[in-house]
Amino acid sequence: MSISLSNVTVELPIFSANARSLRKRLTPTAVGGSLMSRGDNKVIIRALNNVSLKIKDGERVALIGPNGAGKTTLLKVLSGVYAPTRGNVAISGEVSSALNTSLGLDIELTGRENIYLLGYYRGISRPVITKALEDIIETAELGQFIDLPVNTYSAGMQGRLTFAVATAFEPDILIMDEWLAAGDSRFVAKASERTARFVSKARILILASHSLSIVRNFCSHAAFLNSGSLVTYGPVEDVISAYENQLNAPSPPVAATA
Amino acid sequence: MVQKSRQMDISEKHIAAWDFTTGILRWRLWAYLGVQDIRQRYRRSSLGPLWLTLGLGVTILGIGLLYSQILKTPPGTFIPFIAISLLAWNFLSTVVTESTTAFQAGAGLISSVRVPYTTFVLRCLVRNLIVAAHCIIPVVIAFVYYKYPVDVVALAALPGLVLMLLNMYWLALCLAMVCLRYRDVAQIVIYAMQLALFVTPIIWQPSQLRAGTPFLAFNPIYHLIELIRAPIFEHRVPLASYQFSAIMLVVGGAITALVFNRFRRDLAYWI
């Protein structure tokens, strides 16, 4: 199992209402001129800028960085949601991603039905899911709630369910966004133990989080992203201190005026 | 524990082919989603989709009795005709209209898991097939009540249905893509379908038009409906419609495959 990114750039087109409309596309030509306005009003956000990264067997990697640093975009590239605009992504191994608790779940369905749904998304067959069912329900600690619709669940309960399913089918690579922090400390401890067992089989974990305690708890390595670029990658403590240095660095003179 | 290790290269050139095949192979997913859509409609509703059955029954009766007088056709042939026509039309037009938002409906998944996008088109087809199955009831009642004869040729409706579904598959995928990028195409489609209801022999019979008129010969919706209607209602295998639908499948399918192949990777950015 390994992941290798080389010079990955992701540009997200932001369609203004104008560019989305076919009429706006057609009128300039129909009216017969104004090639000047051909810009389509397209705004592009460069969410990832030339990121190169190699992740090897058994590494538990945290993505850290301020809001808007590109953590979620990178997770989406790694899960195969986004194809990079430029650059290459090579992943060997089966990926299971849990980027967002609410997005994968269908809140009208019961917890039990959602376990099947989440399993089917991952291409897992019914008997295999049925076999894992008990383990998932136990890990998620949902008890009787498992037969109630998910819209009755708290955010933490949804997170536990998603986490339990994401780790249940022994994927090679597990990708999680920062929602894990929504769990209470008891669950975080449990998740940490389950993840440790998971990674002990030389699997890869990738986790985005703002909580440095979760990062220290779960991860062996960290990648520090800032405005779409990879600042450093390495052992977790080194990267955290680089991150903290940058956070505490006196930012532009505004603060100094006092 | 069996160690599964599949090579997965995200920048792969064959993402569209992967999507088509995996989309179909993961049949449990779209079947489950389609069935759940129907279950959802049953929830908190005493009749659920059976309301559609009832609605179709009332429409058949209303239009049937009125138009058999306007068009001076005996209700005994006209009502079975309108019943089978509306069954096919409702399926076709609902798939077309719903396909315009098929990807938006799966937005949550498309932006959080690597999932074949064709799943959402198949889900739309499954859901509407289940609805159509509900709607067979009033059609059967119409045929039985008027003792309208049906013979073995009616079985030709089955391959006809397959050909129709294949055409609906590419059409729905194509519309889902275009409407994701250009949101107002969905409005155009809705109006086009309204127009289609009037220019296609659904409420009026094709025999009321001069044979070979371009209104029929080049009307794709007419041909798709004929695939099912002609064997059951006219006891005839509609060869011309088979030809037209087969050509449409090849040409439309090829164009859709090319467009999908080119833009599959961009769809996630358009959500």
Side-chain angles (χ1 to χ4, degrees):
Chain A
M1 274 146 272
S2 67
I3 295 176
S4 147
L5 304 183
S6 46
N7 305 318
V8 167
T9 296
V10 170
E11 287 171 349
L12 303 172
I14 304 302
F15 298 106
S16 67
N18 286 344
R20 272 239 161 123
S21 147
L22 183 65
R23 185 171 62 82
K24 292 280 160 55
R25 255 280 155 91
L26 294 180
T27 32
T29 40
V31 174
S34 109
L35 279 169
M36 302 290 290
S37 67
R38 219 205 80 68
D40 321 16
N41 300 317
K42 219 191 233 175
V43 178
I44 287 175
I45 294 179
R46 183 168 292 177
L48 284 181
N49 190 7
N50 243 348
V51 173
S52 297
L53 185 60
K54 269 194 174 32
I55 300 173
K56 292 186 283 291
D57 271 14
E59 293 188 354
R60 290 159 290 152
V61 181
L63 303 185
I64 53 179
N67 289 329
K71 300 187 294 291
T72 301
T73 308
L74 183 54
L75 292 179
K76 286 188 175 185
V77 169
L78 293 169
S79 344
V81 169
Y82 284 160
T85 316
R86 279 185 295 281
N88 266 308
V89 180
I91 294 176
S92 75
E94 236 172 300
V95 177
S96 169
S97 58
L99 295 191
N100 191 319
T101 48
S102 56
L103 287 184
L105 297 169
D106 185 334
I107 57 162
E108 304 265 353
L109 301 182
T110 67
R112 197 183 292 272
E113 289 169 322
N114 265 296
I115 294 176
Y116 282 99
L117 191 61
L118 292 173
Y120 293 153
Y121 290 146
R122 296 177 164 80
I124 293 158
S125 71
R126 190 178 177 86
V128 176
I129 300 174
T130 309
K131 234 161 85 202
L133 206 60
E134 279 314 306
D135 170 54
I136 293 172
I137 295 173
E138 205 205 290
T139 310
E141 297 186 337
L142 285 169
Q144 318 236 302
F145 271 89
I146 201 69
D147 289 310
L148 288 182
V150 167
N151 57 20
T152 61
Y153 291 16
S154 68
M157 289 161 82
Q158 293 186 8
R160 290 194 323 241
L161 182 61
T162 312
F163 175 81
V165 177
T167 49
F169 303 106
E170 316 238 326
D172 301 323
I173 298 163
L174 178 61
I175 298 176
M176 292 191 289
D177 208 345
E178 44 202 337
W179 53 265
L180 194 68
D184 53 28
S185 53
R186 201 167 96 90
F187 176 69
V188 170
K190 189 166 185 169
S192 158
E193 185 223 330
R194 193 174 163 96
T195 324
R197 242 187 309 139
F198 171 86
V199 185
S200 67
K201 296 173 194 163
R203 295 191 174 96
I204 294 174
L205 168 78
I206 297 169
L207 173 78
S209 184
H210 284 295
S211 155
L212 293 182
S213 74
I214 284 188
V215 168
R216 287 199 172 97
N217 225 325
F218 279 74
C219 299
S220 60
H221 291 66
F224 172 21
L225 289 167
N226 200 0
S227 46
S229 301
L230 180 66
V231 182
T232 39
Y233 178 70
V236 68
E237 285 306 330
D238 300 357
V239 178
I240 285 180
S241 51
Y243 176 51
E244 280 176 333
N245 280 342
Q246 180 137 352
L247 275 187
N248 300 331
S251 48
V254 189
T257 43
Chain B
M1 188 68 222
V2 188
Q3 189 61 45
K4 297 163 288 181
S5 193
R6 244 182 274 144
Q7 201 69 27
M8 190 185 89
D9 179 3
I10 296 183
S11 64
E12 65 200 286
K13 288 222 167 61
H14 309 295
I15 186 86
W18 172 84
D19 197 304
F20 276 119
T21 49
T22 316
I24 288 168
L25 290 177
R26 292 197 189 164
W27 60 272
R28 280 182 197 277
L29 179 55
W30 45 265
Y32 193 78
L33 288 170
V35 170
Q36 285 303 342
D37 287 341
I38 297 292
R39 278 203 204 153
Q40 213 80 287
R41 294 184 194 181
Y42 268 113
R43 243 163 235 179
R44 296 214 200 169
S45 151
S46 45
L47 291 184
L50 285 175
W51 280 112
L52 296 170
T53 312
L54 202 65
L56 180 63
V58 172
T59 315
I60 291 171
L61 207 64
I63 296 183
L65 291 177
L66 175 66
Y67 276 73
S68 67
Q69 286 186 30
I70 294 176
L71 302 169
K72 304 200 170 46
T73 327
T77 55
F78 189 72
I79 289 186
F81 167 81
I82 195 92
I84 188 90
S85 298
L86 284 177
L87 175 67
W89 163 256
N90 282 352
F91 171 73
L92 207 143
S93 68
T94 320
V95 169
V96 168
T97 341
E98 290 184 355
S99 70
T100 60
T101 54
F103 288 152
Q104 281 100 308
L109 281 175
I110 289 177
S111 54
S112 63
V113 207
R114 179 181 226 228
V115 64
Y117 297 166
T118 47
T119 300
F120 302 100
V121 174
L122 291 164
R123 166 199 201 171
C124 174
L125 285 175
V126 169
R127 175 175 63 221
N128 285 297
L129 269 179
I130 299 174
V131 170
H134 282 82
C135 291
I136 288 177
I137 303 165
V139 179
V140 171
I141 293 175
F143 274 71
V144 170
Y145 181 81
Y146 287 104
K147 299 194 178 62
Y148 193 88
V150 172
D151 63 15
V152 262
V153 185
L155 291 176
L158 287 176
L161 177 65
V162 173
L163 190 52
M164 181 197 198
L165 286 174
L166 290 171
N167 271 296
M168 299 309 290
Y169 178 60
W170 74 255
L171 182 62
L173 176 58
C174 190
L175 285 173
M177 276 189 287
V178 174
C179 295
L180 185 63
R181 180 64 184 80
Y182 299 104
R183 301 289 160 110
D184 28 1
V185 174
Q187 303 301 319
I188 301 174
V189 169
I190 289 169
Y191 281 102
M193 291 314 280
Q194 278 182 14
L195 180 64
L197 175 61
F198 292 107
V199 299
T200 309
I202 295 160
I203 293 174
W204 44 277
Q205 288 179 269
S207 56
Q208 289 164 315
L209 219 57
R210 176 173 60 79
T213 165
F215 275 107
L216 296 187
F218 297 108
N219 182 340
I221 296 175
Y222 161 71
H223 288 297
L224 290 177
I225 289 180
E226 277 296 275
L227 290 176
I228 293 179
R229 186 172 61 190
I232 297 175
F233 183 74
E234 292 176 58
H235 318 123
R236 149 182 96 78
V237 179
L239 286 177
S241 297
Y242 265 102
Q243 283 169 1
F244 190 95
S245 309
I247 294 172
M248 192 160 86
L249 176 60
V250 173
V251 176
I255 293 173
T256 305
L258 286 176
V259 174
F260 190 64
N261 191 41
R262 166 68 187 77
F263 291 106
R264 163 66 172 75
R265 48 177 288 132
D266 296 331
L267 290 177
Y269 295 120
W270 293 348
I271 288 285

